[in-house]
Amino acid sequence: MVLPIFATVMANENTLQNIIAHCKEYGFIFQSSEIYDGLAAVYDYGQYGSELKKNIRDYWWKSMTQMHENIVGIDAAIFMHPTVWKASGHVDNFSDPMIDNKDSNKRYRVDHLIEGYVETLDKEKGDALLAQMDQLLAANDFAGLKTLIEDNKIKCAISGTVNWTDIRQFNLMFATEMGSVADDANLVYLRPETAQGIFVNFLNVQKTGRMKIPFGIAQTGKAFRNEIVARQFIFRMREFEQMEMQFFVRPGDQMKWYEYWKETRMKWHLSLGIPQERYRFHDHVKLAHYADAACDIEYDFPMGFKEVEGIHSRTDFDLKQHQQYSGKKLTYFDTELNQHYVPYVVETSIGLDRCFMMVLSQAYKEEDLSADGKEDSRVVLSLPAMLAPIKLAVLPLTKKDGLPEIARELIDQCKPYFKCFFEEKDSIGKRYRRQDAIGTPFCVTIDHQTKEDQTVTVRHRDSMTQERIPLASVRDMVMKAIQAF
Ligand code: GAP
């Protein structure tokens, strides 16, 4: 089989805007409440976006709960007792240092302001400044951070001045009221992470599932953060979805499991077909209030390396806090050690939307197909077949001669197993391009020969090669290609 030669433009900084436009044009992602001019940093997933998102979620869920006998899933509520957030430390500590420009009144997250400035420097100077910033953040030295901003004359992007306020902490949780009487007792928060729903159910699951340490509890669901600097599309949103897993281990074993989950999660990322060089680990210098070790898995997004997933050794902090605040024992009896203890926890936490953006950035390609002086191009999403919103497009060559009926029969045969698409309008070339743009790995054309010999043309998305195969083998071919495990 000879593969066609074509030039590919990989996603880079300039293509981020193209990806955003593509997402809108092809029904992947829309701005929330767009007809009212949108709501900042909130997005809706369209017909293909919601399929892709669901497929990523399912793949993660399966890899955790089906491929690990000692991990089970739950689905906790978004609202939780307000004391949960006091115990977890979010009421007191879940805040970012912020600074306001006095001339524009624009508020910035301090680290983002400095990072933005670093992008304008050469690598050596930039790295030195980031190292200084990390040290000051780790020491909570707000005066030092302000001096750093002033000494480097870092300007507000709107006013262009360096007229800054002092740095203050700003809590990121959204609060609302529950019940009809508006007083403090009814204040509830929209959860800023799904993890706490797992901690408070730790004993429920352990006892009812007769789980033995080490074991994990996984969960996917919405989380909410009042992000101040919410930009870069779905990278930083105010309403987003997390896929988290808390792995409960013996005290003292946490570093072994931390390393295990670092490696296991990286393998998962590589299994998406994304090459190693587009990932890196970033160890945290400033540890969150609950962690004794933490790192991020970063992906090389169109705007540079950024966090997709966090792996955190959270010690026994959360369970001990909930034990103290609730007055209920949250210990585990280890029959091998003949000992009661509060387990330690290693957490893996990945943002579903960020993972979506990663998969999309990797898949998005603008290809120049010009040949023999004829200009041609296409945009293709080279998504892993298992994640593609539509797995198979069935395209009758014409609207007559019984070809649409054969196409419908094929779809009826396949649709219980995977998502299919039927289209009979426009030229085959145009129909292929539309399927390329949404990442459909296989297009099958039903033509007059199909009626004679029961064969069809399969066109492969990435190579654009075509082959003739028996109609009866189409379903199995697709099933094989979308097999995840
Ligand atoms: N339970 C631990 C936790 O929540 P985190 O590092 O704050 O840790 C985990 O968040 C992941 O959630 C991040 O790696 C990121 O993928 C995603 N995430 C966090 N904030 C987000 C936001 N505002 N928008 C989209 N995804 C976000």
Side-chain angles (χ1 to χ4, degrees), residues 300-374:
D300 191 7
F301 283 99
M303 63 280 186
F305 274 99
K306 302 262 181 216
E307 170 188 351
V308 209
E309 172 155 12
I311 296 156
H312 313 126
S313 173
R314 287 180 82 129
T315 68
D316 55 0
F317 175 84
D318 301 87
L319 287 181
K320 276 210 167 134
Q321 288 292 104
H322 288 306
Q323 197 170 247
Q324 187 192 329
Y325 277 78
S326 67
K328 308 270 161 44
K329 259 195 162 179
L330 292 176
T331 52
Y332 169 81
F333 181 66
D334 191 323
T335 47
E336 274 175 41
L337 297 181
N338 200 25
Q339 226 181 65
H340 288 275
Y341 55 77
V342 176
Y344 270 49
V345 171
V346 175
E347 163 186 77
T348 72
S349 174
I350 180 167
L352 176 52
D353 312 86
R354 238 177 241 191
C355 189
F356 182 109
M357 187 163 163
M358 171 180 81
V359 166
L360 203 69
S361 306
Q362 186 67 30
Y364 181 87
K365 288 174 190 152
E366 295 168 3
E367 288 178 350
D368 181 0
L369 308 172
S370 303
D372 305 329
K374 247 184 88 184

Coordinates of all heavy atoms in Angstrom, one line a residue, residues 300-374:
D300 N 2.7 19.4 26.2 CA 3.2 20.5 25.3 C 2.0 21.1 24.5 O 1.8 20.7 23.3 CB 4.3 20.1 24.4 CG 5.0 21.2 23.8 OD1 4.7 22.4 24.1 OD2 5.9 20.9 22.9
F301 N 1.2 21.9 25.2 CA 0.0 22.5 24.5 C 0.5 23.5 23.4 O 1.6 23.9 23.4 CB -0.9 23.3 25.5 CG -1.7 22.4 26.4 CD1 -1.3 22.0 27.7 CD2 -2.9 21.9 26.0 CE1 -2.1 21.2 28.5 CE2 -3.7 21.1 26.7 CZ -3.3 20.7 28.0
P302 N -0.5 24.0 22.6 CA -0.1 25.0 21.6 C 0.6 26.2 22.3 O 1.4 26.9 21.7 CB -1.4 25.4 20.9 CG -2.2 24.2 21.0 CD -1.8 23.5 22.4
M303 N 0.2 26.5 23.6 CA 0.8 27.6 24.2 C 1.9 27.2 25.2 O 2.4 28.0 26.0 CB -0.3 28.4 25.0 CG -1.0 27.7 26.1 SD -2.3 26.6 25.5 CE -3.0 26.1 27.1
G304 N 2.5 26.0 25.0 CA 3.7 25.6 25.8 C 3.3 24.5 26.8 O 2.1 24.1 26.8
F305 N 4.3 24.0 27.5 CA 4.1 22.9 28.5 C 3.2 23.4 29.6 O 3.5 24.5 30.3 CB 5.4 22.4 29.0 CG 6.1 21.4 28.2 CD1 7.1 21.7 27.3 CD2 5.6 20.1 28.3 CE1 7.6 20.7 26.5 CE2 6.2 19.1 27.5 CZ 7.2 19.4 26.6
K306 N 2.1 22.7 29.9 CA 1.2 23.1 31.0 C 0.7 21.9 31.6 O 0.6 20.8 31.0 CB 0.0 23.9 30.5 CG 0.3 25.2 29.7 CD 0.2 26.4 30.6 CE 0.6 27.6 29.8 NZ 1.3 28.6 30.5
E307 N 0.2 22.0 32.9 CA -0.3 20.9 33.7 C -1.6 20.3 33.1 O -2.5 21.0 32.8 CB -0.6 21.4 35.1 CG -1.3 20.4 36.0 CD -1.7 21.0 37.3 OE1 -1.3 22.1 37.7 OE2 -2.5 20.3 38.0
V308 N -1.6 19.0 33.0 CA -2.9 18.3 32.7 C -3.3 17.5 33.9 O -4.5 17.3 34.1 CB -2.7 17.2 31.6 CG1 -4.0 17.0 30.8 CG2 -1.5 17.3 30.7
E309 N -2.4 16.9 34.6 CA -2.7 16.0 35.7 C -1.8 16.3 36.9 O -0.6 16.6 36.7 CB -2.6 14.6 35.2 CG -2.7 13.5 36.3 CD -3.2 12.2 35.8 OE1 -3.1 12.0 34.6 OE2 -3.5 11.3 36.6
G310 N -2.4 16.1 38.1 CA -1.5 16.2 39.3 C -1.5 14.9 40.0 O -2.5 14.1 40.0
I311 N -0.3 14.5 40.5 CA -0.2 13.3 41.3 C 0.3 13.8 42.7 O 1.4 14.4 42.8 CB 0.7 12.3 40.7 CG1 0.1 11.8 39.3 CG2 0.9 11.0 41.6 CD1 1.0 11.3 38.3
H312 N -0.5 13.5 43.7 CA -0.2 14.1 45.0 C -0.2 13.0 46.1 O -1.1 12.2 46.2 CB -1.3 15.1 45.4 CG -1.6 16.0 44.3 ND1 -2.9 16.2 43.9 CD2 -0.8 16.9 43.6 CE1 -2.9 17.1 42.9 NE2 -1.6 17.5 42.7
S313 N 0.9 13.0 46.9 CA 0.9 12.2 48.1 C 0.3 13.1 49.2 O 0.9 14.0 49.7 CB 2.3 11.8 48.5 OG 2.3 11.1 49.7
R314 N -1.0 12.8 49.6 CA -1.7 13.7 50.5 C -1.6 13.3 51.9 O -2.4 13.8 52.7 CB -3.2 13.7 50.0 CG -3.5 14.4 48.8 CD -4.9 14.4 48.4 NE -5.7 15.4 49.1 CZ -6.6 16.2 48.5 NH1 -6.7 16.2 47.2 NH2 -7.3 17.1 49.2
T315 N -0.8 12.4 52.3 CA -0.6 11.9 53.7 C -1.9 11.4 54.2 O -2.8 11.0 53.5 CB 0.1 13.0 54.5 OG1 -0.8 14.0 54.7 CG2 1.4 13.5 54.0
D316 N -2.1 11.5 55.6 CA -3.3 11.2 56.2 C -4.1 12.4 56.5 O -5.1 12.4 57.3 CB -3.1 10.3 57.5 CG -2.2 11.0 58.4 OD1 -1.7 12.1 58.2 OD2 -1.9 10.4 59.5
F317 N -3.7 13.6 55.9 CA -4.2 14.9 56.3 C -5.8 14.9 56.2 O -6.5 15.2 57.2 CB -3.7 15.9 55.3 CG -4.3 17.3 55.6 CD1 -3.8 18.1 56.6 CD2 -5.4 17.7 54.8 CE1 -4.4 19.4 56.8 CE2 -6.0 19.0 55.0 CZ -5.5 19.8 56.0
D318 N -6.3 14.5 55.0 CA -7.8 14.7 54.8 C -8.6 13.8 55.8 O -9.5 14.3 56.4 CB -8.1 14.4 53.4 CG -7.4 15.3 52.4 OD1 -6.3 14.9 52.0 OD2 -7.9 16.4 52.1
L319 N -8.2 12.5 55.9 CA -9.0 11.6 56.7 C -8.9 12.1 58.2 O -9.9 12.1 58.9 CB -8.5 10.2 56.6 CG -8.9 9.5 55.2 CD1 -8.4 8.1 55.2 CD2 -10.4 9.5 55.0
K320 N -7.7 12.5 58.6 CA -7.6 12.9 60.0 C -8.4 14.2 60.3 O -9.0 14.3 61.3 CB -6.1 13.2 60.3 CG -5.3 12.0 60.7 CD -4.2 12.3 61.6 CE -3.6 11.0 62.2 NZ -2.1 11.0 62.2
Q321 N -8.4 15.1 59.3 CA -9.2 16.3 59.5 C -10.7 16.0 59.6 O -11.4 16.5 60.5 CB -9.0 17.3 58.3 CG -7.6 17.9 58.2 CD -7.4 18.9 59.4 OE1 -6.8 18.7 60.4 NE2 -8.1 20.1 59.2
H322 N -11.1 15.1 58.7 CA -12.6 14.7 58.8 C -12.9 14.0 60.0 O -14.0 14.2 60.6 CB -13.0 13.9 57.5 CG -13.0 14.8 56.3 ND1 -13.7 15.9 56.2 CD2 -12.3 14.6 55.1 CE1 -13.5 16.4 55.0 NE2 -12.7 15.7 54.3
Q323 N -11.9 13.2 60.5 CA -12.1 12.5 61.8 C -12.3 13.5 62.9 O -13.2 13.4 63.7 CB -10.9 11.7 62.0 CG -11.1 10.6 63.1 CD -9.9 9.7 63.1 OE1 -10.0 8.5 62.7 NE2 -8.7 10.1 63.5
Q324 N -11.4 14.5 62.9 CA -11.5 15.5 64.0 C -12.8 16.4 63.9 O -13.4 16.6 64.9 CB -10.2 16.4 63.8 CG -10.1 17.4 65.0 CD -9.0 18.5 64.6 OE1 -8.1 18.2 63.9 NE2 -9.2 19.7 65.1
Y325 N -13.1 16.9 62.7 CA -14.2 17.8 62.6 C -15.6 17.1 62.7 O -16.6 17.6 63.2 CB -14.2 18.5 61.2 CG -13.3 19.7 61.3 CD1 -11.9 19.6 61.2 CD2 -13.8 21.0 61.4 CE1 -11.1 20.7 61.2 CE2 -13.0 22.1 61.4 CZ -11.6 22.0 61.3 OH -10.8 23.1 61.4
S326 N -15.6 15.8 62.3 CA -16.9 15.1 62.4 C -17.1 14.3 63.7 O -18.2 13.9 64.1 CB -17.0 14.0 61.2 OG -16.1 13.0 61.4
G327 N -16.0 14.1 64.3 CA -16.0 13.3 65.6 C -16.2 11.8 65.3 O -16.5 11.0 66.2
K328 N -16.1 11.4 64.0 CA -16.3 10.0 63.7 C -15.0 9.3 63.3 O -14.1 10.0 62.7 CB -17.2 9.8 62.4 CG -18.5 10.6 62.5 CD -19.6 9.7 63.1 CE -20.8 10.6 63.6 NZ -21.3 11.6 62.8
K329 N -14.8 8.1 63.8 CA -13.5 7.4 63.6 C -13.4 7.1 62.1 O -14.3 6.5 61.5 CB -13.4 6.2 64.4 CG -12.6 6.3 65.6 CD -12.2 5.0 66.2 CE -11.1 5.2 67.1 NZ -10.6 4.0 67.8
L330 N -12.2 7.4 61.5 CA -12.0 7.0 60.1 C -10.7 6.1 60.0 O -9.9 6.4 59.2 CB -11.9 8.2 59.2 CG -13.2 9.1 59.1 CD1 -12.9 10.4 58.3 CD2 -14.3 8.3 58.4
T331 N -10.7 5.1 60.9 CA -9.5 4.3 60.9 C -9.8 2.9 60.2 O -11.0 2.6 60.0 CB -9.0 3.9 62.3 OG1 -10.2 3.4 63.0 CG2 -8.5 5.2 63.0
Y332 N -8.8 2.3 59.8 CA -8.9 1.0 59.1 C -8.2 0.0 59.9 O -7.1 0.2 60.5 CB -8.2 1.2 57.7 CG -7.9 -0.1 57.0 CD1 -8.9 -0.7 56.2 CD2 -6.7 -0.8 57.0 CE1 -8.7 -1.9 55.5 CE2 -6.5 -1.9 56.3 CZ -7.5 -2.5 55.6 OH -7.3 -3.7 54.9
F333 N -8.7 -1.2 60.0 CA -8.1 -2.3 60.8 C -7.3 -3.2 59.8 O -7.9 -3.8 58.9 CB -9.0 -3.1 61.6 CG -8.3 -4.2 62.4 CD1 -7.4 -3.9 63.4 CD2 -8.5 -5.5 62.1 CE1 -6.7 -4.8 64.1 CE2 -7.8 -6.5 62.8 CZ -6.9 -6.2 63.8
D334 N -6.0 -3.2 59.9 CA -5.1 -4.0 59.0 C -4.9 -5.3 59.6 O -4.2 -5.5 60.7 CB -3.8 -3.2 58.8 CG -3.0 -3.8 57.7 OD1 -3.0 -5.0 57.5 OD2 -2.3 -3.0 57.0
T335 N -5.6 -6.4 59.1 CA -5.5 -7.7 59.7 C -4.1 -8.3 59.7 O -3.7 -9.0 60.5 CB -6.5 -8.7 59.0 OG1 -6.3 -8.5 57.6 CG2 -7.9 -8.4 59.4
E336 N -3.3 -7.9 58.6 CA -2.0 -8.5 58.5 C -1.1 -7.9 59.6 O -0.3 -8.6 60.2 CB -1.4 -8.1 57.2 CG -1.7 -9.2 56.1 CD -1.2 -8.7 54.7 OE1 -0.1 -8.2 54.7 OE2 -2.0 -8.9 53.8
L337 N -1.3 -6.6 59.9 CA -0.4 -5.9 60.9 C -1.1 -6.0 62.3 O -0.4 -5.7 63.3 CB -0.2 -4.5 60.5 CG 0.6 -4.2 59.3 CD1 0.7 -2.7 59.1 CD2 2.0 -4.8 59.3
N338 N -2.4 -6.4 62.3 CA -3.1 -6.4 63.6 C -3.1 -5.0 64.2 O -2.8 -4.9 65.4 CB -2.6 -7.5 64.5 CG -3.6 -7.8 65.6 OD1 -4.8 -7.7 65.3 ND2 -3.1 -8.3 66.8
Q339 N -3.4 -4.0 63.3 CA -3.3 -2.6 63.8 C -4.4 -1.8 63.2 O -4.8 -2.0 62.1 CB -1.9 -2.1 63.2 CG -1.1 -1.4 64.2 CD 0.2 -0.9 63.4 OE1 0.1 -0.1 62.5 NE2 1.3 -1.5 63.8
H340 N -4.8 -0.8 64.0 CA -5.7 0.2 63.5 C -4.9 1.4 63.0 O -4.0 1.8 63.8 CB -6.7 0.7 64.6 CG -7.7 -0.3 64.9 ND1 -8.9 -0.4 64.2 CD2 -7.8 -1.2 65.9 CE1 -9.6 -1.4 64.8 NE2 -9.0 -1.9 65.8
Y341 N -5.2 2.0 61.9 CA -4.5 3.3 61.5 C -5.4 4.1 60.6 O -6.3 3.6 60.0 CB -3.1 3.0 60.9 CG -3.1 2.1 59.8 CD1 -3.5 2.5 58.5 CD2 -2.6 0.8 59.9 CE1 -3.4 1.7 57.4 CE2 -2.5 -0.1 58.8 CZ -3.0 0.4 57.5 OH -2.9 -0.5 56.5
V342 N -5.0 5.4 60.5 CA -5.7 6.2 59.4 C -4.8 6.1 58.2 O -3.6 6.4 58.2 CB -5.7 7.7 59.9 CG1 -6.3 8.6 58.7 CG2 -6.5 7.8 61.1
P343 N -5.3 5.6 57.1 CA -4.5 5.3 55.9 C -3.9 6.6 55.3 O -4.5 7.7 55.5 CB -5.5 4.7 54.9 CG -6.7 4.3 55.7 CD -6.7 5.2 56.9
Y344 N -2.8 6.5 54.6 CA -2.3 7.6 53.8 C -2.9 7.5 52.4 O -3.4 6.4 52.0 CB -0.7 7.4 53.7 CG 0.0 8.1 54.8 CD1 -0.4 8.0 56.2 CD2 1.0 9.0 54.6 CE1 0.2 8.7 57.2 CE2 1.7 9.7 55.6 CZ 1.3 9.5 56.9 OH 1.9 10.2 57.9
V345 N -2.8 8.6 51.7 CA -3.5 8.6 50.4 C -2.6 9.2 49.3 O -1.9 10.2 49.5 CB -4.7 9.5 50.5 CG1 -5.3 9.8 49.1 CG2 -5.8 8.9 51.4
V346 N -2.5 8.4 48.2 CA -1.9 9.0 47.0 C -3.0 9.2 46.0 O -3.8 8.4 45.7 CB -0.9 8.0 46.4 CG1 -0.3 8.5 45.1 CG2 0.3 7.7 47.4
E347 N -3.0 10.4 45.5 CA -4.1 10.9 44.6 C -3.6 11.1 43.2 O -2.5 11.6 43.0 CB -4.6 12.2 45.1 CG -5.5 13.0 44.2 CD -5.9 14.3 44.7 OE1 -5.0 15.2 44.7 OE2 -7.0 14.5 45.1
T348 N -4.5 10.6 42.2 CA -4.2 11.1 40.8 C -5.4 11.9 40.4 O -6.6 11.5 40.6 CB -4.0 9.9 39.9 OG1 -5.3 9.2 39.7 CG2 -3.0 8.9 40.4
S349 N -5.1 13.1 39.9 CA -6.2 14.0 39.6 C -6.0 14.7 38.2 O -5.1 15.4 38.0 CB -6.3 15.1 40.7 OG -7.2 16.1 40.3
I350 N -6.9 14.3 37.3 CA -6.8 14.9 36.0 C -8.0 15.7 35.6 O -9.1 15.2 35.9 CB -6.4 13.8 34.9 CG1 -6.3 14.3 33.5 CG2 -7.4 12.6 35.0 CD1 -5.7 13.4 32.5
G351 N -7.9 16.8 34.9 CA -9.0 17.6 34.5 C -9.5 17.0 33.1 O -8.7 16.8 32.2
L352 N -10.8 16.7 33.1 CA -11.3 16.1 31.9 C -11.2 17.1 30.7 O -10.9 16.7 29.6 CB -12.7 15.6 32.1 CG -13.5 15.0 30.9 CD1 -12.7 13.9 30.2 CD2 -14.8 14.4 31.4
D353 N -11.6 18.3 31.0 CA -11.6 19.3 29.9 C -10.2 19.6 29.4 O -9.9 19.7 28.2 CB -12.2 20.6 30.4 CG -13.5 20.4 31.2 OD1 -13.4 20.1 32.4 OD2 -14.5 20.4 30.5
R354 N -9.2 19.6 30.4 CA -7.8 19.8 30.0 C -7.3 18.6 29.1 O -6.5 18.8 28.2 CB -7.0 20.0 31.2 CG -6.3 21.3 31.2 CD -5.5 21.5 32.4 NE -6.0 22.7 33.1 CZ -5.4 23.3 34.1 NH1 -4.3 22.8 34.6 NH2 -5.9 24.3 34.7
C355 N -7.8 17.4 29.5 CA -7.4 16.2 28.8 C -8.0 16.3 27.4 O -7.3 15.9 26.4 CB -7.9 15.0 29.6 SG -7.2 13.5 28.9
F356 N -9.2 16.8 27.3 CA -9.9 17.0 26.0 C -9.1 17.9 25.2 O -8.8 17.6 24.0 CB -11.3 17.5 26.3 CG -12.2 17.8 25.1 CD1 -13.3 17.0 24.9 CD2 -11.9 18.8 24.2 CE1 -14.1 17.2 23.8 CE2 -12.7 19.0 23.1 CZ -13.8 18.2 22.9
M357 N -8.6 19.0 25.8 CA -7.8 20.0 25.0 C -6.5 19.4 24.6 O -6.0 19.7 23.5 CB -7.6 21.2 25.9 CG -7.0 22.4 25.1 SD -7.2 23.9 26.0 CE -6.0 24.9 25.2
M358 N -5.9 18.5 25.4 CA -4.7 17.9 25.0 C -4.9 16.9 23.8 O -4.1 17.0 22.9 CB -4.2 17.1 26.3 CG -3.0 16.2 25.9 SD -2.4 15.3 27.4 CE -3.6 14.0 27.5
V359 N -5.9 16.1 23.9 CA -6.2 15.1 22.9 C -6.5 15.9 21.5 O -6.0 15.5 20.5 CB -7.4 14.2 23.3 CG1 -7.9 13.5 22.1 CG2 -7.0 13.3 24.4
L360 N -7.2 17.0 21.7 CA -7.6 17.7 20.5 C -6.3 18.4 19.9 O -6.1 18.4 18.7 CB -8.6 18.8 20.9 CG -9.5 19.3 19.8 CD1 -10.4 18.2 19.3 CD2 -10.3 20.5 20.3
S361 N -5.5 19.0 20.7 CA -4.3 19.7 20.3 C -3.4 18.7 19.5 O -2.8 19.1 18.5 CB -3.5 20.3 21.4 OG -4.3 21.1 22.2
Q362 N -3.3 17.5 20.1 CA -2.5 16.5 19.5 C -3.0 16.0 18.1 O -2.3 15.8 17.2 CB -2.3 15.3 20.4 CG -1.3 14.3 20.0 CD 0.1 14.8 20.0 OE1 0.5 15.6 20.8 NE2 0.9 14.2 19.1
A363 N -4.4 16.0 18.1 CA -5.0 15.4 16.9 C -5.1 16.4 15.7 O -5.2 16.0 14.6 CB -6.4 14.9 17.3
Y364 N -5.2 17.7 16.1 CA -5.5 18.7 15.1 C -4.4 18.9 14.1 O -3.2 19.2 14.5 CB -5.8 20.0 15.8 CG -6.2 21.2 14.9 CD1 -7.5 21.3 14.4 CD2 -5.2 22.0 14.4 CE1 -7.8 22.4 13.6 CE2 -5.5 23.1 13.5 CZ -6.8 23.2 13.1 OH -7.1 24.3 12.3
K365 N -4.7 18.7 12.8 CA -3.6 18.9 11.8 C -4.2 19.6 10.6 O -5.3 19.3 10.1 CB -3.1 17.5 11.3 CG -2.3 16.8 12.3 CD -1.9 15.4 11.9 CE -1.3 14.7 13.0 NZ -1.5 13.3 12.9
E366 N -3.4 20.6 10.1 CA -3.8 21.3 8.9 C -2.8 20.7 7.8 O -1.6 20.8 8.0 CB -3.6 22.8 9.0 CG -4.5 23.4 10.0 CD -4.1 24.8 10.4 OE1 -3.2 25.4 9.9 OE2 -4.8 25.4 11.3
E367 N -3.4 20.0 6.8 CA -2.5 19.4 5.8 C -2.6 20.0 4.4 O -3.7 20.3 4.0 CB -2.9 17.9 5.7 CG -2.5 17.1 7.0 CD -2.8 15.7 7.0 OE1 -3.6 15.2 6.1 OE2 -2.4 14.9 7.8
D368 N -1.5 20.2 3.8 CA -1.5 20.7 2.5 C -1.4 19.5 1.5 O -0.4 18.7 1.6 CB -0.2 21.6 2.3 CG -0.1 22.1 0.9 OD1 -1.0 21.8 0.1 OD2 0.9 22.9 0.7
L369 N -2.4 19.3 0.7 CA -2.5 18.1 -0.1 C -2.3 18.5 -1.6 O -2.6 17.8 -2.5 CB -3.9 17.5 0.0 CG -4.3 17.1 1.4 CD1 -5.8 16.7 1.4 CD2 -3.5 16.1 2.0
S370 N -1.8 19.7 -1.8 CA -1.6 20.2 -3.2 C -0.8 19.2 -4.0 O 0.2 18.7 -3.5 CB -0.9 21.6 -3.2 OG -1.7 22.5 -2.5
A371 N -1.2 19.0 -5.3 CA -0.4 18.1 -6.1 C -0.6 18.5 -7.6 O -1.7 18.9 -7.9 CB -0.8 16.6 -5.9
D372 N 0.4 18.3 -8.4 CA 0.3 18.6 -9.8 C -0.2 20.0 -10.1 O -1.1 20.2 -10.9 CB -0.5 17.6 -10.6 CG 0.0 16.2 -10.3 OD1 1.2 16.1 -10.1 OD2 -0.8 15.2 -10.3
G373 N 0.2 21.0 -9.3 CA -0.2 22.4 -9.5 C -1.6 22.6 -9.0 O -2.1 23.8 -9.1
K374 N -2.3 21.6 -8.5 CA -3.7 21.8 -8.0 C -3.7 22.0 -6.5 O -3.2 21.1 -5.7 CB -4.5 20.5 -8.3 CG -5.6 20.8 -9.3 CD -6.5 19.7 -9.6 CE -7.7 19.6 -8.6 NZ -8.5 18.4 -8.7

